[in-house]
Amino acid sequence: MIDYRAYLQKKGYTETTIENYIKQVQLFIKWCNRNHTTAIDIDYKDCLKYIKYLQRKGTTKKTVNHRLGRVKVYLNYLVEENFKSENPIESTTIKGVKRIVNYNLLEADELEDLYYSYETENIKDQYHRLTAKRDRIIVGLMVYQGLSTTNLKALEVRHIEVYKGKIYVPGHKKMNARELELKPWQVIELLEYIKEIREEIKQRRKVESERLLIPNNARLSNTITNIIKKLKKTNHKVENINQIRASVITNWLGQYNLRKVQYLAGHRYISSTERYLQDDLENLHEIVNSFHPIA
């Protein structure tokens, strides 16, 4: 397990998570041994037997999916190390796990309107005009690239590839890194921001930082909270940055296949992306029940 531990460390998992993953894999390997197979030789049919074994133990569907996810990571490791030719359960999940009910999502045109409606010009105070332009860039990264607060905090100037029209979003323990396309108008505004606006904000704030987005105070999350308050005035449906991200991901699912959306969203597991799939009848039923429960 030494090599596998190093693999997980390289992927950015915390030590606590690594211990949990290794424990689950060891249990999986023991099951394989009892059933006259190995993790290297196991095929889809035997994997189904393992899933049934977990289900017979009274494990909930959600827990089975979690344990299956840890086995998937291990099998992916074996594939990457050329011990296996493929992962037989790469796209396997247990049906029946409750999905996110996204009942207050924003359409693509509503998201874009948040960006274009964000005021940056008719502001008397020069510094506030500068920060408004920074904030509009944040809104753009939220509504076009679906970035989370954690993503926005991690961005540095070097992550913007202006001349390629792309942005590199660093990964962290819960999310994969990815490279995303920028809209042409985002590129233009980012050029101005990096060369002029950001420098002036740094001088005003008297800070030296490689961070792309210099906040009004020590916490970018406070800046984002203020942005959301302004966005609510544009569209009363706006709730928070998580809702905006969920809207972006759901809209992507209407345009691209599941794997591409998984990459765009930075999800470690395909099951995370699947939770955003919209089943209109299922969602309608859940929404009605949540507001009008049957006694």
Side-chain angles (χ1 to χ4, degrees), residues 43 59 221:
D43 57 15
T59 310
S221 52

Side-chain angles (χ1 to χ4, degrees), residues 25-284:
V25 167
Q26 287 172 336
L27 291 172
F28 171 66
I29 290 172
K30 284 182 181 178
W31 180 89
C32 288
N33 291 337
R34 290 197 304 270
N35 288 270
H36 313 293
T37 186
T38 67
I40 292 173
D41 297 325
I42 196 167
D43 57 15
Y44 181 70
K45 187 177 178 181
D46 283 332
C47 283
L48 290 181
K49 290 180 183 177
Y50 177 66
I51 293 169
K52 288 178 182 177
Y53 159 76
L54 292 176
Q55 291 173 326
R56 282 199 303 271
K57 290 178 67 179
T59 310
T60 65
K61 290 177 180 178
K62 185 175 181 180
T63 302
V64 171
N65 263 336
H66 279 308
R67 292 183 180 176
L68 201 60
R70 283 144 181 74
V71 172
K72 283 182 191 179
V73 173
Y74 182 63
L75 295 180
N76 282 336
Y77 157 73
L78 294 177
V79 171
E80 289 182 30
E81 294 297 317
N82 296 317
F83 290 112
K84 285 180 77 69
S85 60
E86 63 177 0
N87 182 345
I89 54 169
E90 174 64 27
S91 58
T92 303
T93 54
I94 306 304
K95 300 299 180 184
V97 177
K98 191 173 182 179
R99 290 174 180 167
I100 297 169
V101 182
N102 298 317
Y103 57 85
N104 199 25
L105 296 175
L106 301 168
E107 299 293 335
D109 58 342
E110 291 180 299
L111 290 167
E112 192 160 61
D113 187 53
L114 295 178
Y115 174 77
Y116 280 112
S117 299
Y118 203 88
E119 184 60 66
T120 61
E121 296 302 328
N122 297 319
I123 301 170
K124 291 182 180 179
D125 183 83
Q126 184 187 4
Y127 179 68
H128 289 159
R129 192 158 59 247
L130 293 173
T131 57
K133 289 185 176 182
R134 174 208 59 203
D135 293 351
R136 183 158 133 146
I137 283 171
I138 292 173
V139 174
L141 294 170
M142 287 161 51
V143 304
Y144 291 121
Q145 285 77 36
L147 298 195
S148 66
T149 299
T150 304
N151 293 151
L152 292 166
K153 287 178 179 177
L155 290 177
E156 296 183 1
V157 175
R158 63 191 175 91
H159 295 143
I160 305 297
E161 301 177 74
V162 173
Y163 298 105
K164 287 185 178 180
K166 293 183 178 181
I167 180 172
Y168 173 78
V169 184
H172 56 85
K173 63 182 180 180
K174 292 184 178 179
M175 199 174 287
N176 288 335
R178 65 264 196 212
E179 190 176 67
L180 304 174
E181 297 279 347
L182 292 165
K183 299 293 184 183
W185 46 93
Q186 286 182 285
V187 173
I188 294 168
E189 293 193 351
L190 276 164
L191 263 173
E192 180 194 13
Y193 172 74
I194 292 170
K195 289 185 176 181
E196 301 173 19
I197 297 169
R198 180 178 174 277
E199 292 303 313
E200 194 160 342
I201 292 175
K202 278 172 58 182
Q203 288 177 15
R204 294 286 193 101
R205 294 272 296 112
K206 296 180 180 179
V207 295
E208 280 301 324
S209 173
E210 294 302 315
R211 290 174 67 174
L212 174 68
L213 303 165
I214 308 297
N216 294 339
N217 49 44
R219 295 171 61 85
L220 185 65
S221 52
N222 291 341
T223 299
I224 293 170
T225 298
N226 290 330
I227 290 171
I228 294 295
K229 287 178 182 177
K230 292 180 181 178
L231 295 180
K232 286 180 179 180
K233 293 178 181 178
T234 301
N235 188 328
H236 70 278
K237 285 169 62 179
V238 172
E239 295 174 359
N240 51 51
I241 189 171
N242 294 331
Q243 175 219 23
I244 291 174
R245 176 170 159 79
S247 300
V248 174
I249 293 171
T250 304
N251 288 330
W252 279 339
L253 284 165
Q255 303 173 58
Y256 311 117
N257 64 49
L258 203 58
R259 283 292 174 197
K260 180 165 183 177
V261 176
Q262 180 189 8
Y263 175 80
L264 294 173
H267 290 151
R268 282 192 180 274
Y269 307 111
I270 196 73
S271 57
S272 298
T273 315
E274 287 175 332
R275 294 174 70 200
Y276 291 87
L277 286 169
Q278 294 296 286
D279 182 329
D280 293 337
L281 289 176
E282 177 184 278
N283 283 349
L284 180 61

